[in-house]
């Protein structure tokens, strides 16, 4: 009877602890990722200005890049910095990034955009990607974007 009780205790302890251990690992990873995103985006928000000047210059020319690109960069820089600050304050709740590209140095030649949903990092992705869909604004030829 003692051996059976001992075996049941060990088995129940293993079954009780193992799901928490698996969840704790993914939780810690999510918290670490969000803390890294928050810190990086808070510090590198100013990098949106030269990025958007470059994007505007490549698409429409130097005059457009220096005016509209500068203003767009300032707006996106403020957005990236504030998004990073929110991630720093709420890093204990692991969520997916609200801003894409999630780090400024990823996809440097792509315009920054913001995801409207605030999803937990443990949520399963649906069929839709968090990236722009195939027929998106960025993938259209520059002369057909405003038509």
């Amino acid at each position: 009877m003692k051996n059976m009780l001992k075996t049941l205790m060990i088995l129940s302890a293993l079954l009780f602890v193992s799901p928490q251990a698996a969840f704790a690992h993914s939780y810690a990873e999510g918290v670490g990722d969000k803390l890294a995103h928050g810190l990086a985006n808070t510090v590198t928000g100013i990098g949106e200005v030269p990025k958007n000047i470059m994007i505007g210059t490549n698409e429409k020319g130097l005059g457009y890049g220096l005016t509209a690109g500068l203003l767009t960069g300032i707006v996106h820089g403020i957005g990236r910095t504030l998004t990073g600050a929110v991630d720093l304050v709420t890093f204990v709740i692991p969520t997916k990034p609200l801003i894409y590209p999630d780090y400024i140095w990823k996809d440097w030649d792509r315009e920054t955009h913001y995801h409207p949903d605030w999803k937990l990092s443990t949520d399963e992705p649906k069929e839709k990607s968090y990236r722009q869909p195939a027929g998106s604004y960025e993938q259209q030829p520059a002369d057909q974007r405003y038509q």
Side-chain angles (χ1 to χ4, degrees), residues 33-147:
D33 285 347
K34 188 168 182 181
L35 187 61
H37 281 108
L39 185 61
N41 288 330
T42 301
V43 172
T44 61
I46 192 71
E48 287 285 346
V49 175
K51 174 184 171 180
N52 282 281
I53 290 174
M54 182 194 73
I55 290 171
T57 301
N58 290 341
E59 286 183 0
K60 301 272 184 169
L62 185 60
Y64 183 84
L66 291 176
T67 55
L70 175 69
L71 294 174
T72 304
I74 290 170
V75 169
H76 283 310
I78 292 169
R80 184 172 291 277
T81 302
L82 290 177
T83 302
V86 167
D87 282 349
L88 279 175
V89 170
T90 63
F91 78 93
V92 295
I93 306 167
T95 59
K96 294 183 180 176
L98 291 174
I99 192 167
Y100 292 96
D102 52 350
Y103 293 108
I104 194 168
W105 54 84
K106 283 186 178 178
D107 296 328
W108 178 260
D109 57 342
R110 257 183 98 185
E111 191 171 335
T112 302
H113 65 281
Y114 304 89
H115 198 278
D117 295 334
W118 201 23
K119 303 229 182 231
L120 292 175
S121 64
T122 57
D123 289 348
E124 292 296 321
K126 296 180 182 173
E127 290 180 22
K128 290 186 350 182
S129 171
Y130 290 108
R131 301 282 182 186
Q132 287 290 333
S136 73
Y137 172 81
E138 285 90 6
Q139 294 177 347
Q140 294 176 358
D143 58 337
Q144 295 179 359
R145 288 187 181 161
Y146 300 105
Q147 295 177 356

